[in-house]
Amino acid sequence: MATVRFPDEPGFTGRFAPVRLEGEIRGLEVIQGEVPESLRGTFYRVGADPAWPPVVPNDFYFNADGMVAMFRFENGYVDFRSRYVRTPRFLAERAARRSLFGAYRNPYTDDPSVTGISRGLANTNVYWHAGRLLASKEDSAPIQIDPDTLETVGEWTWAGDLASQTATAHPKIDPRTGELVFFGYAAKGETTPDIAYYEADRDGRIMHEAWFQAPYSSMIHDWAVTEHFVVFPIIPLTSDLERLKAGGPYYVWDGSKDVYLGVVPRRGSDVRWYRGTNRFASHIMNAFDDGRYVHIDTPVGENSAFPWFPDITGAPFDPDKTKGYLSRWTIDTMGETDGFTQRRLTNCSGEFPRTDDRWATRGYRFGVINLTDVPGQTPADGMPGFRWLASIDLATQAMKRRFAGDDSTVQEAIFVPPRPDAPHGDGYVMQLVDRHALARTDLLILDARQVDGQPVATVKIPIRMPGGLHGNWVTAEQLARRAA
Ligand code: V55
Ligand code: FE
């Protein structure tokens, strides 16, 4: 009865088996190269790692507890820590030594003892703003954590000013102003079509709030922010309260619905919807505008890439249709029509696009992305997943690629500028590489101009780090300016 045992399902076995370990290693082993002494700061990332076996069958990692890991770079040393975010949900389940919360974002499947306790898992992103380190998931407010110890401080609602019930895990920081530009969807409760748009100033005070209604309720996982606009992509992973109450999936893929892009002027209160044919997109590499045209770079596929959200027609999941190709959407904000254009930028499918965030919201040239497919190349081990890191020069569309290696897959890469004023393109790309056959993880430090070359350094983490989602670099100077 008291046995802790994870289900014998693909999502919880082999390379996907939970690790659940919290710990510290001072001075990780560097197994290749040298860590530059000039690198001063911390790479924070979060993974979804279930603390307790799920109570529903075929659960998936979006519904698992957030495990934050940090890599602190100091004088050529790399110090590691990992710790679960102490969400109210984590603490309740820890006390009970079992899962009390049920299916993904479905409060109707919870143990009655946890009614009213936040379902947030803080498992999707960990970012820095106004001296605070925040772990976030899009169904709830973020959780502030201590940047040295990873201990949980508590829920952060912008000093109580967050009226939305949710806050995106993909806020953007405007590098010109230091403002945090963010939103909540399902902002009036699960499956509601309400969107709340916020801007917080560089000190973390909410200075702008505006409310909109989407054409239909859907996952709004990422969005675009430019100097003059914000854009909400409505992609038909749709939600429905009656289905949720009946125990159905939170999202289904509806291939009959159009895509909408809701464009709002920065700090504005009016939305204009642009419409396009059915397609899937999730993460945005970057976006920028010239006052009239808004350009958004994002991988675009035919169907949803998430196998655990079923097709509304019952059609089986088709991996070929999920392949996403980095593309540029362009919206004419002064045009007569309500359409937008799409131009494909690569013939390799991939996801987890990032740029150097010093160029977020503005015209930029370089990005990185993880690839699942490269035409003409089939890894000998046949393992699916993200097998390559690629850098792309958007001026020439030239790509540089590095294969992760046998039995290896890659997690999201981040850009690390060597100095605040370094030119665009200079610096490092850091990436965790899962070594499945060895049951460990490598942290690669790459030259951003030559991601296909020999790494600057390879740091060994002697454990697996499953469920990796997003992360960010925080400089030593930022860490020194933490909020009280
Ligand atoms: C995503 C991840 C989530 C989620 C919704 O990658 C979307 C997309 C880790 O949780 O709840
Ligand atoms: Fe994401």
Side-chain angles (χ1 to χ4, degrees):
M1 196 54 197
T3 306
V4 176
R5 184 175 297 147
F6 283 86
D8 187 14
E9 295 172 358
F12 295 91
T13 46
R15 57 183 271 210
F16 299 105
V19 171
R20 307 163 73 212
L21 191 73
E22 302 183 292
E24 182 195 1
I25 299 172
R26 193 158 170 89
L28 285 170
E29 189 181 350
V30 180
I31 57 176
Q32 174 266 320
E34 304 280 341
V35 175
E37 290 193 22
S38 59
L39 261 179
R40 292 169 57 251
T42 307
F43 172 29
Y44 297 95
R45 61 65 97 179
V46 62
D49 192 347
W52 302 100
V55 294
V56 293
N58 303 311
D59 200 18
F60 44 91
Y61 73 113
F62 283 16
N63 198 29
D65 302 274
M67 173 77 88
V68 173
M70 62 184 271
F71 300 88
R72 175 149 297 171
F73 289 72
E74 238 168 36
N75 307 324
Y77 294 102
V78 186
D79 298 326
F80 171 85
R81 259 178 209 265
S82 66
R83 195 158 175 85
Y84 275 117
V85 184
R86 264 57 180 169
T87 60
R89 172 169 171 167
F90 177 91
L91 291 172
E93 294 185 337
R94 184 176 170 88
R97 291 182 183 268
R98 66 184 179 92
S99 285
L100 300 169
F101 293 78
Y104 176 75
R105 293 181 68 170
N106 191 335
Y108 306 100
T109 60
D110 292 346
D111 188 284
S113 66
V114 297
T115 303
I117 299 178
S118 170
R119 304 187 90 260
L121 289 156
N123 68 1
T124 312
N125 198 359
V126 52
Y127 61 92
W128 182 267
H129 186 251
R132 293 182 187 87
L133 186 64
L134 301 171
S136 71
K137 184 178 185 69
E138 64 198 41
D139 69 349
S140 47
I143 306 280
Q144 187 181 347
I145 55 182
D146 184 284
D148 296 332
T149 64
L150 301 184
E151 270 160 34
T152 296
V153 177
E155 189 179 62
W156 173 245
T157 58
W158 285 270
D161 289 346
L162 182 76
S164 171
Q165 295 188 24
T166 64
T168 179
H170 287 288
K172 313 292 176 185
I173 292 169
D174 186 326
R176 295 172 194 80
T177 60
E179 290 157 334
L180 188 79
V181 188
F182 67 105
F183 70 98
Y185 79 93
K188 293 187 178 173
E190 291 295 17
T191 77
T192 56
D194 304 275
I195 300 170
Y197 158 42
Y198 292 99
E199 300 224 6
D201 69 9
R202 61 186 313 134
D203 300 318
R205 276 187 298 263
I206 288 179
M207 307 297 281
H208 181 73
E209 175 176 359
W211 287 74
F212 309 101
Q213 284 220 330
Y216 54 83
S217 295
S218 71
M219 178 192 286
I220 313 178
H221 180 65
D222 199 354
W223 68 323
V225 177
T226 69
E227 183 177 2
H228 300 108
F229 300 97
V230 301
V231 184
F232 301 102
I234 308 302
I235 308 281
L237 267 173
T238 63
S239 62
D240 177 78
L241 190 61
E242 291 315 310
R243 184 174 69 228
L244 196 65
K245 286 182 177 169
Y250 193 98
Y251 290 117
V252 297
W253 174 250
D254 187 344
S256 76
K257 279 193 156 58
D258 281 347
V259 158
Y260 293 81
L261 301 179
V263 179
V264 181
R266 283 283 297 275
R267 299 196 181 214
S269 304
D270 293 309
V271 61
R272 178 170 170 190
W273 294 102
Y274 296 79
R275 189 168 183 164
T277 53
N278 183 266
R279 73 197 84 176
F280 178 77
S282 180
H283 290 119
I284 281 157
M285 180 176 274
N286 201 4
F288 57 98
D289 75 81
D290 62 7
R292 173 170 183 170
Y293 293 96
V294 179
H295 304 284
I296 303 172
D297 295 344
T298 178
V300 180
E302 264 184 71
N303 280 11
S304 156
F306 306 130
W308 39 79
F309 298 131
D311 193 290
I312 196 168
T313 67
F317 186 73
D318 179 351
D320 268 345
K321 291 190 173 166
T322 69
K323 290 179 181 171
Y325 298 89
L326 186 68
S327 303
R328 177 162 293 178
W329 288 341
T330 298
I331 305 164
D332 181 357
T333 64
M334 297 178 185
E336 303 285 296
T337 69
D338 70 351
F340 61 94
T341 63
Q342 176 175 310
R343 178 166 66 92
R344 188 181 280 198
L345 303 175
T346 80
N347 63 349
C348 301
S349 71
E351 244 291 346
F352 284 113
R354 290 296 296 262
T355 188
D356 181 332
D357 287 324
R358 294 175 302 158
W359 270 262
T361 75
R362 58 170 77 179
Y364 76 117
R365 182 163 172 187
F366 300 104
V368 290
I369 187 167
N370 291 342
L371 302 179
T372 55
D373 297 274
V374 175
Q377 295 197 24
T378 309
D381 56 37
M383 180 183 281
F386 295 111
R387 303 303 306 273
W388 294 265
L389 168 72
S391 64
I392 183 162
D393 177 345
L394 294 152
T396 62
Q397 294 178 25
M399 272 184 138
K400 288 181 180 166
R401 262 196 324 264
R402 93 175 285 116
F403 181 58
D406 292 337
D407 303 308
S408 299
T409 54
V410 290
Q411 302 191 25
E412 182 189 57
I414 59 161
F415 274 91
V416 178
R419 308 176 303 283
D421 59 344
H424 188 26
D426 271 11
Y428 304 100
V429 169
M430 284 190 194
Q431 181 167 51
L432 290 166
V433 181
D434 300 300
R435 303 293 183 200
H436 299 292
L438 303 170
R440 67 155 215 253
T441 315
D442 288 345
L443 174 60
L444 267 55
I445 300 160
L446 303 166
D447 180 337
R449 295 210 183 268
Q450 289 164 312
V451 300
D452 52 344
Q454 162 102 330
V456 174
T458 304
V459 180
K460 175 178 154 183
I461 305 111
I463 58 165
R464 295 169 46 245
M465 297 182 68
L469 273 308
H470 301 290
N472 291 285
W473 176 257
V474 182
T475 66
E477 292 71 28
Q478 288 175 304
L479 288 165
R481 293 195 306 265
R482 65 191 61 180

Short mmCIF file of all heavy atoms in Angstrom, two decimals, residues 281-286 296-300 325-329 345 351 353:
data_model
loop_
_atom_site.label_atom_id
_atom_site.label_comp_id
_atom_site.label_asym_id
_atom_site.label_seq_id
_atom_site.Cartn_x
_atom_site.Cartn_y
_atom_site.Cartn_z
N ALA A 281 2.31 25.92 -34.29
CA ALA A 281 3.58 26.56 -33.91
C ALA A 281 3.59 26.66 -32.40
O ALA A 281 2.53 26.72 -31.76
CB ALA A 281 3.69 27.95 -34.54
N SER A 282 4.76 26.66 -31.83
CA SER A 282 4.85 26.75 -30.37
C SER A 282 5.82 27.85 -29.95
O SER A 282 5.41 28.92 -29.54
CB SER A 282 5.24 25.40 -29.79
OG SER A 282 5.32 25.47 -28.39
N HIS A 283 7.14 27.61 -30.09
CA HIS A 283 8.11 28.58 -29.57
C HIS A 283 8.56 29.59 -30.62
O HIS A 283 8.62 29.28 -31.80
CB HIS A 283 9.33 27.85 -29.02
CG HIS A 283 9.02 27.12 -27.76
ND1 HIS A 283 9.15 25.76 -27.65
CD2 HIS A 283 8.57 27.57 -26.57
CE1 HIS A 283 8.78 25.40 -26.42
NE2 HIS A 283 8.43 26.48 -25.74
N ILE A 284 8.88 30.76 -30.16
CA ILE A 284 9.30 31.84 -31.03
C ILE A 284 10.78 32.13 -30.81
O ILE A 284 11.23 32.27 -29.66
CB ILE A 284 8.38 33.05 -30.78
CG1 ILE A 284 7.07 32.77 -31.54
CG2 ILE A 284 9.01 34.36 -31.22
CD1 ILE A 284 5.89 33.48 -31.07
N MET A 285 11.54 32.14 -31.91
CA MET A 285 12.98 32.43 -31.79
C MET A 285 13.17 33.89 -31.43
O MET A 285 13.89 34.22 -30.49
CB MET A 285 13.69 32.10 -33.11
CG MET A 285 15.19 32.36 -33.12
SD MET A 285 15.98 31.85 -34.66
CE MET A 285 16.33 30.13 -34.32
N ASN A 286 12.50 34.76 -32.18
CA ASN A 286 12.54 36.19 -31.90
C ASN A 286 11.51 36.86 -32.80
O ASN A 286 10.95 36.22 -33.70
CB ASN A 286 13.94 36.75 -32.17
CG ASN A 286 14.18 38.07 -31.44
OD1 ASN A 286 13.34 38.56 -30.68
ND2 ASN A 286 15.34 38.68 -31.69
N ILE A 296 7.92 37.51 -37.26
CA ILE A 296 7.97 36.54 -36.16
C ILE A 296 8.61 35.26 -36.68
O ILE A 296 8.11 34.67 -37.65
CB ILE A 296 6.54 36.24 -35.65
CG1 ILE A 296 5.84 37.52 -35.19
CG2 ILE A 296 6.58 35.19 -34.54
CD1 ILE A 296 4.36 37.34 -34.86
N ASP A 297 9.70 34.84 -36.06
CA ASP A 297 10.40 33.63 -36.49
C ASP A 297 10.04 32.47 -35.56
O ASP A 297 10.33 32.53 -34.36
CB ASP A 297 11.91 33.86 -36.51
CG ASP A 297 12.31 34.90 -37.55
OD1 ASP A 297 11.49 35.19 -38.45
OD2 ASP A 297 13.45 35.40 -37.49
N THR A 298 9.45 31.43 -36.13
CA THR A 298 8.95 30.31 -35.32
C THR A 298 8.93 29.04 -36.16
O THR A 298 8.63 29.09 -37.35
CB THR A 298 7.53 30.64 -34.78
OG1 THR A 298 7.05 29.53 -34.02
CG2 THR A 298 6.55 30.95 -35.89
N PRO A 299 9.22 27.88 -35.56
CA PRO A 299 9.03 26.63 -36.29
C PRO A 299 7.53 26.37 -36.50
O PRO A 299 6.75 26.51 -35.56
CB PRO A 299 9.65 25.57 -35.38
CG PRO A 299 10.48 26.32 -34.38
CD PRO A 299 9.82 27.66 -34.23
N VAL A 300 7.16 26.00 -37.72
CA VAL A 300 5.76 25.77 -38.06
C VAL A 300 5.61 24.36 -38.63
O VAL A 300 6.34 23.97 -39.54
CB VAL A 300 5.27 26.81 -39.10
CG1 VAL A 300 3.80 26.57 -39.45
CG2 VAL A 300 5.46 28.23 -38.58
N TYR A 325 9.23 23.54 -39.19
CA TYR A 325 10.33 24.16 -39.94
C TYR A 325 10.36 25.65 -39.63
O TYR A 325 9.35 26.34 -39.80
CB TYR A 325 10.12 23.92 -41.44
CG TYR A 325 10.14 22.45 -41.80
CD1 TYR A 325 8.97 21.69 -41.77
CD2 TYR A 325 11.34 21.80 -42.09
CE1 TYR A 325 8.98 20.33 -42.05
CE2 TYR A 325 11.36 20.44 -42.38
CZ TYR A 325 10.18 19.71 -42.36
OH TYR A 325 10.21 18.36 -42.63
N LEU A 326 11.53 26.10 -39.18
CA LEU A 326 11.67 27.51 -38.83
C LEU A 326 11.19 28.38 -39.99
O LEU A 326 11.65 28.20 -41.12
CB LEU A 326 13.12 27.83 -38.48
CG LEU A 326 13.35 29.25 -37.95
CD1 LEU A 326 12.72 29.44 -36.57
CD2 LEU A 326 14.84 29.57 -37.88
N SER A 327 10.26 29.27 -39.70
CA SER A 327 9.61 30.08 -40.73
C SER A 327 9.46 31.49 -40.21
O SER A 327 9.53 31.73 -39.00
CB SER A 327 8.22 29.51 -41.04
OG SER A 327 8.31 28.15 -41.44
N ARG A 328 9.26 32.42 -41.14
CA ARG A 328 9.04 33.82 -40.76
C ARG A 328 7.62 34.23 -41.12
O ARG A 328 7.24 34.20 -42.29
CB ARG A 328 10.06 34.74 -41.44
CG ARG A 328 9.83 36.22 -41.11
CD ARG A 328 11.05 37.08 -41.39
NE ARG A 328 12.13 36.74 -40.47
CZ ARG A 328 13.34 37.32 -40.50
NH1 ARG A 328 13.62 38.23 -41.41
NH2 ARG A 328 14.27 36.96 -39.62
N TRP A 329 6.84 34.60 -40.10
CA TRP A 329 5.51 35.18 -40.33
C TRP A 329 5.68 36.69 -40.42
O TRP A 329 6.41 37.29 -39.63
CB TRP A 329 4.59 34.89 -39.15
CG TRP A 329 4.13 33.47 -39.03
CD1 TRP A 329 4.13 32.51 -40.00
CD2 TRP A 329 3.60 32.84 -37.85
NE1 TRP A 329 3.62 31.33 -39.50
CE2 TRP A 329 3.28 31.51 -38.19
CE3 TRP A 329 3.34 33.28 -36.54
CZ2 TRP A 329 2.73 30.61 -37.27
CZ3 TRP A 329 2.79 32.39 -35.63
CH2 TRP A 329 2.49 31.06 -36.00
N LEU A 345 12.37 29.10 -43.61
CA LEU A 345 13.78 29.51 -43.57
C LEU A 345 14.74 28.33 -43.61
O LEU A 345 15.94 28.54 -43.86
CB LEU A 345 14.05 30.33 -42.29
CG LEU A 345 13.18 31.60 -42.12
CD1 LEU A 345 13.46 32.25 -40.78
CD2 LEU A 345 13.44 32.59 -43.25
N GLU A 351 12.89 22.43 -32.97
CA GLU A 351 12.16 23.23 -31.97
C GLU A 351 13.16 23.74 -30.94
O GLU A 351 14.35 23.50 -31.07
CB GLU A 351 11.05 22.41 -31.31
CG GLU A 351 9.63 22.95 -31.61
CD GLU A 351 9.35 24.30 -30.94
OE1 GLU A 351 10.10 24.72 -30.04
OE2 GLU A 351 8.36 24.95 -31.30
N PRO A 353 13.84 27.08 -30.34
CA PRO A 353 14.65 28.16 -30.92
C PRO A 353 14.98 29.20 -29.86
O PRO A 353 14.15 29.50 -28.99
CB PRO A 353 13.72 28.75 -31.98
CG PRO A 353 12.34 28.55 -31.41
CD PRO A 353 12.41 27.22 -30.68
#
